Amino acid sequence: MSATAAIQWPAEAIWEAVSPALPSFSVEILPQIDSTNSELMRRARAGQTEPILLVAESQTAGRGRLGRDWLSQGASTPALTFSLGMPLHMADWSGLSLAVGVSVARSLHPALQLKWPNDVWFEGRKLAGILIETVNIGSTRYAVIGVGLNIGPREAVGLSTPPAWLQELLPGIDAPQALQRIAAPLVQAVQVFETQGLAPFLKTFATRDALAGRAVTLSDGTHGQAQGVDSSGALLVHTDAGLKKISSAEVSVRPV
Ligand code: BTN
């Protein structure tokens, strides 16, 4: 057996599961790219706006929220890194990251929690991050939904939140198997969000809300107690100055 045996990705099975409800959908696997989000944003700006799942076996310049890097280095097993690009016809985008997080967590394990607005946590550590970007295309928008998921043990060096990895919960799982579990339900969840908004996801978010009832600090220094999310997905924080609604994705929230 070659030491560099190619990774077997379930591209066809995912395409077969998704394409009946999304006929122009495709799946593409790349050995390496700077960032799957950057690549789909470039393609969308160049007019390629069909729905696509783009998976990269490695990223050289993975990006996270708030201008941070998303590092794949320091992991014993390659992380799962992919972006789902979809044109979406909707006015209100608020809460999409919550719907995506609910779908990813639901596909993987009942013990996973969601840390507003974009992280999947296990026991207070970060298992996965979600980065959503959009491009205007005429009267509609193209959403690029990027997911980075730790599969095997990784070092905490350089990370703002200690890492968790999926093999803690599902021993032996690899990136292709994780993708197989996540991809088709995620496309379906985004389609549900497009027609019905955040409402169908709120109950599950509440049961998995990692911050609910906890003391938190916002990036502007405000302290308070997290009290769930409202119907638009804004985080509700009880502070000395009253109830604050945090809807800006630019705000970071840390449990104390
Ligand atoms: C975060 O934790 O702030 C979000 C991390 C998102 C990482 C994923 S990996 C696949 C996709 N491509 C990127 O460059 N970023 C996202």
Side-chain angles (χ1 to χ4, degrees):
M1 195 176 89
S2 139
T4 54
I7 303 172
Q8 295 296 311
W9 291 94
E12 206 167 313
I14 293 169
W15 181 82
E16 277 171 9
V18 169
S19 58
L22 198 58
S24 51
F25 177 72
S26 65
V27 181
E28 189 177 331
I29 316 286
L30 296 174
Q32 190 171 75
I33 188 91
D34 54 350
S35 146
T36 53
N37 263 49
S38 300
E39 174 64 9
L40 289 192
M41 292 294 283
R42 285 191 291 266
R43 292 185 190 183
R45 290 189 184 111
Q48 280 179 261
T49 54
E50 295 79 24
I52 183 169
L53 179 72
L54 181 67
V55 183
E57 290 176 358
S58 87
Q59 294 188 129
T60 54
R63 295 185 291 110
R65 286 181 63 234
L66 308 171
R68 296 179 185 135
D69 294 334
W70 198 82
L71 303 170
S72 307
Q73 293 79 11
S76 56
T77 311
L80 172 62
T81 50
F82 70 87
S83 300
L84 172 67
M86 280 176 70
L88 295 181
H89 310 85
M90 58 199 307
D92 185 7
W93 289 72
S94 48
L96 176 59
S97 71
L98 274 54
V100 170
V102 163
S103 174
V104 170
R106 221 167 18 200
S107 295
L108 293 176
H109 202 277
L112 294 179
Q113 290 197 299
L114 298 163
K115 191 253 169 190
W116 187 94
N118 288 54
D119 291 349
V120 181
W121 276 16
F122 173 54
E123 294 180 339
R125 293 172 290 126
K126 180 165 169 170
L127 176 80
I130 296 161
L131 175 66
I132 299 181
E133 301 176 292
T134 65
V135 180
N136 285 326
I137 41 168
S139 59
T140 125
R141 267 206 270 183
Y142 190 75
V144 175
I145 300 164
V147 177
L149 169 74
N150 298 325
I151 299 292
R154 61 169 304 168
E155 293 166 11
V157 181
L159 303 176
S160 53
T161 309
W165 45 92
L166 193 56
Q167 289 175 348
E168 292 180 74
L169 289 156
L170 301 170
I173 194 164
D174 60 14
Q177 289 164 350
L179 183 71
Q180 168 91 64
R181 294 170 76 122
I182 293 171
L186 178 58
V187 174
Q188 202 196 1
V190 174
Q191 289 180 306
V192 168
F193 183 86
E194 184 180 22
T195 53
Q196 299 174 49
L198 186 59
F201 301 93
L202 284 171
K203 209 170 145 195
T204 309
F205 183 85
T207 63
R208 292 180 182 260
D209 185 349
L211 297 180
R214 294 187 63 177
V216 293
T217 304
L218 311 182
S219 45
D220 67 0
T222 312
H223 299 284
Q225 188 193 44
Q227 297 193 334
V229 298
D230 72 4
S231 60
S232 72
L235 181 71
L236 301 172
V237 180
H238 182 77
T239 72
D240 287 346
L243 192 65
K244 256 187 136 176
K245 276 189 188 187
I246 320 290
S247 48
S248 167
E250 300 308 312
V251 173
S252 81
V253 182
R254 309 223 132 255
V256 178

